[in-house]
Amino acid sequence: MTPENPSLSLTLPVEARDFADAATRYCARNLGAEPHDRQAVNFSRDLWRSMAELGLLEIAATPGDSAMLLTCVGLEVLGYHGFPGPLAQSVAVMGLSDARQPAWAGGERVPTLGGDVLTAWAAVADDLFLIDGDGLSQARLVGPIETLGATRAGLVERAEPLAGEVGDVLARYHMAISAYGVGAGRFFIDLAAEHARTRSQFGRPIGEFQAVAFPLAESLIGLEAAQLMTRAAAMALDAGRADAADLAGAARLSSTRAALKAGFAAHQTLGAYGVLDDGPVGWLSRRIQEYATLAPSSRGLRASLSLDVSRLLDPALWREGRQCN
Amino acid sequence: MQLGYSDQERAFQGEVLAFLEDWRGLDQYLHGEDFDRLRAFYQALGARNWLSLGWPIEDGGQGLPPIFEFLLWDEMAYARVARPPLSAGIVAKTIIRFGTRAQKARWLEPIRTGQLMFSLGYSEPGAGSDLAGLRTRAELRDGKYIVNGSKIWSSAAQEADYLWLLCRTGEVNSRAAGLSLLIVDLKSPNLRIRPMAKMSGNIFCEIFFDDVEVPEDQRIGPENGAWKMMNASLADERHVQFPPKRVLADYESVRDWALTQGLDRDPVVREKLAELAVGVLECQAHAFRVLTANHDPVLASVAAAANKRACTDAIQAIARAAMDFGAPMALTQDAPTHLLWRQTTEESLGGGTTEIMTSIVARAGLGLKA
């Protein structure tokens, strides 16, 4: 038997790498290169429009061979830099057939999506959507409310029901929130590892103590898996696989767990500095916790995720064009 | 980015699954007890040239990339048939890299055909994770090494033919620079084996050497040159160290058992099962990273360490969750939860402890010298 070309490859396509580079440059330009610059950046219409010019939302709205994979890597970068705004929510509603889609893609109108009366970014959004047990509906703002994640959230109430399949919207949401979490988690790890390499106590860098290093290493292990699962979910969405929603849901659970672990490890590694209200971690760890808690929530996913998902990444089931289940 | 098998790999997987039909029920993955059938199984693999899939063609192998060995042992793990034999892995691959022509002629063919079983003689009572501190000594006299000392935690040495012995041939304090690898006949005079039962039912052995003679030509590689060879052989085996379908098999056992008991009606159990399922997927993701990181030694070592850590965490979480589901029947001998609880405890020790694996990730992955 003579071997053919290797099959498995985790190398991103050139266009995805290029898009990630463009997103990184965009973040450095518009959010600042240092964490303390970025944490001070709040949501604004101008910022949102500039992000839209990057093309992320338009890509998410345009079915293509790798549209969701590009969206995924773009969101990883934006998550790493803690971009403020309803990114995952917008990527989700881009899956709807709606006349407002061009305005969303261009950043002229801001949509958001929730699963309960309390919805992130509702206070700054133009178009509100709810997904709950009754399906998809439009929603209206009752009033703004301050939340842990400072997401300019709002209390909303159901308005007109909308026709259409909620499964794809939810799958996009899970994939997108997962990608954002993967990026944020990696930011926490990089920040904390840098501190652990340079901060000395007892005559040596604190990263030489296993009690400090191991939680960061464990977080990295979790994030590596979550990143691959999220990208796989994006590819499954691109391919229209029937099991894409399951994989996206599983990826989100993995990403949320890993990103929260990384955030808590960063808080602890940075010591008292890490718990300052204007410190380098809390501004983003609070947002990640909020995304985990808000419906459609991690808890809800654990209650509803298929218990047969565990072969979703089996390469035997990833024949090109083949649908699982 | 490509996550599917090639046609050739898929065809090979089909062959493996067809072959496995005759061996289902061998059940030597979690607890190896039926050594006669295990030998017959390895010989059946040898007859198909499947013990030498990754060996170079000029050494009697198939010259195939690591994914073929992964496919084989991933399916074996899922079927819980058997684990990769030490002989065709670390032993043969070290001989291929560092052995003489005569050593290759002597050892590779019986290993390739599944005739020989090896046990690993690395750990000592005073040297576990810190192998460079080992003390079992081999002195060369008149063309023979005279070995004195003891080894411990050698799996299945009571049934194996040979021991792959790491011993000190340099000065007492030479650490990693004074170690050599010898092949020792386990039936040698003055060699004594004391089996010890593990919680899993498997057997660990302590091995005592009292002037045991080993022919000089059974030293593989240069004297005092073992450390580099061991690192190379570890790298050779990363892709089969912990197959993700072992984790899947454990998960499905516990899930199916829980469903049979009606435990999934409890929302806490239901949520925990979903978490465990996600853990299985994470292990699969880590396996991809191991399989695709071969081009970069640092990435490969981090990926392998992360894989080992994730997989052992996952199987222990699966086994221990079952005990937390609140069904006393989990404790009975007939429940799959019983053996998994006992067996998974040892998996975070063998093949590199959880602490060592995490340290590798911290050092090579994050630049933290922990």
Side-chain angles (χ1 to χ4, degrees), chain B residues 240-255:
Chain B
V240 291
Q241 189 185 19
F242 212 117
K245 281 195 181 170
R246 186 262 151 96
V247 186
L248 175 62
D250 285 17
Y251 165 73
E252 289 181 348
S253 288
V254 168
R255 179 201 62 193

Side-chain angles (χ1 to χ4, degrees), chain B residues 105-356:
Chain B
R106 176 177 174 186
W107 297 106
L108 291 183
E109 182 61 13
I111 289 174
R112 189 187 67 77
T113 52
Q115 305 299 316
L116 297 183
M117 285 177 68
F118 278 69
S119 182
L120 192 71
Y122 282 5
S123 295
E124 295 182 2
S129 293
D130 182 17
L131 274 180
L134 66 81
R135 304 169 82 127
T136 293
R137 180 149 199 87
E139 288 182 21
L140 188 59
R141 292 182 213 152
D142 302 325
K144 292 174 183 169
Y145 282 98
I146 309 300
V147 181
N148 284 284
S150 67
K151 291 287 170 182
I152 198 167
W153 319 134
S154 295
S155 292
Q158 82 284 4
E159 297 287 343
D161 305 297
Y162 290 93
L163 185 71
W164 184 246
L165 176 71
L166 183 67
C167 56
R168 186 158 303 284
T169 45
E171 296 301 316
V172 174
N173 296 320
S174 53
R175 298 280 297 169
L179 302 177
S180 298
L181 282 164
L182 303 181
I183 294 177
V184 181
D185 188 337
L186 283 165
K187 294 179 182 61
S188 298
N190 303 328
L191 183 150
R192 189 164 56 87
I193 298 174
R194 187 174 76 89
M196 292 175 281
K198 293 194 270 188
M199 279 204 308
S200 61
N202 289 322
I203 301 294
F204 266 153
C205 292
E206 193 166 12
I207 306 172
F208 302 94
F209 306 85
D210 183 10
D211 285 338
V212 173
E213 295 185 358
V214 180
E216 185 181 4
D217 66 2
Q218 289 180 203
R219 187 194 73 233
I220 305 299
E223 193 170 80
N224 299 328
W227 200 254
K228 181 181 160 195
M229 294 191 292
M230 287 168 58
N231 285 334
S233 65
L234 280 178
D236 281 337
E237 292 297 282
R238 282 175 182 141
H239 57 290
V240 291
Q241 189 185 19
F242 212 117
K245 281 195 181 170
R246 186 262 151 96
V247 186
L248 175 62
D250 285 17
Y251 165 73
E252 289 181 348
S253 288
V254 168
R255 179 201 62 193
D256 293 348
W257 174 83
L259 295 180
T260 304
Q261 303 284 316
L263 299 173
D264 59 314
R265 291 192 291 270
D266 178 339
V268 174
V269 172
R270 176 65 177 73
E271 287 189 36
K272 186 66 187 176
L273 286 171
E275 262 185 36
L276 297 174
V278 171
V280 178
L281 278 167
E282 289 172 341
C283 294
Q284 180 72 64
H286 282 294
F288 285 155
R289 296 178 55 78
V290 174
L291 285 165
T292 55
N294 285 338
H295 59 285
D296 182 327
V298 175
L299 269 184
S301 71
V302 173
N307 181 62
K308 172 76 168 36
R309 175 73 204 265
C311 288
T312 50
D313 281 0
I315 56 169
Q316 290 178 350
I318 289 164
R320 293 166 191 178
M323 293 295 171
D324 203 33
F325 287 166
M329 297 308 285
L331 301 167
T332 62
Q333 190 86 32
D334 292 340
T337 48
H338 178 114
L339 176 61
L340 290 179
W341 190 92
R342 286 187 292 138
Q343 197 278 332
T344 52
T345 305
E346 72 188 51
E347 296 284 12
S348 50
L349 298 168
T353 65
T354 283
E355 289 75 13
I356 294 292

Side-chain angles (χ1 to χ4, degrees), chain B residues 21-95:
Chain B
E21 285 307 311
D22 292 337
W23 293 95
R24 289 199 189 277
L26 177 59
D27 204 19
Q28 297 295 294
Y29 191 92
L30 296 177
H31 49 89
E33 291 168 350
D34 190 346
F35 286 94
D36 290 339
R37 284 201 73 207
L38 190 59
R39 277 180 188 270
F41 170 72
Y42 287 144
Q43 287 165 14
L45 288 180
R48 290 175 165 259
N49 295 320
W50 284 0
L51 290 178
S52 52
L53 289 166
W55 301 9
I57 291 169
E58 58 271 28
D59 292 309
Q62 303 296 299
L64 291 167
I67 196 166
F68 285 85
E69 289 182 337
F70 169 82
L71 267 167
L72 177 66
W73 294 109
D74 202 32
E75 293 301 341
M76 297 297 167
Y78 188 56
R80 291 185 174 154
V81 167
R83 299 188 187 222
L86 188 72
S87 53
I90 285 176
V91 173
K93 288 174 182 176
T94 306
I95 293 172

Side-chain angles (χ1 to χ4, degrees), chain A residues 235-236 238-244 311-312 314-325, chain B residues 4-5 10 13:
Chain A
M235 290 170 66
D238 280 328
R241 285 171 53 135
D243 54 8
R311 295 193 73 165
L312 290 176
D314 187 338
L317 305 178
W318 276 76
R319 193 168 200 156
E320 199 156 345
R322 172 180 167 175
Q323 297 205 346
C324 282
N325 292 353
Chain B
Y5 289 139
R10 199 174 296 114
Q13 186 185 35

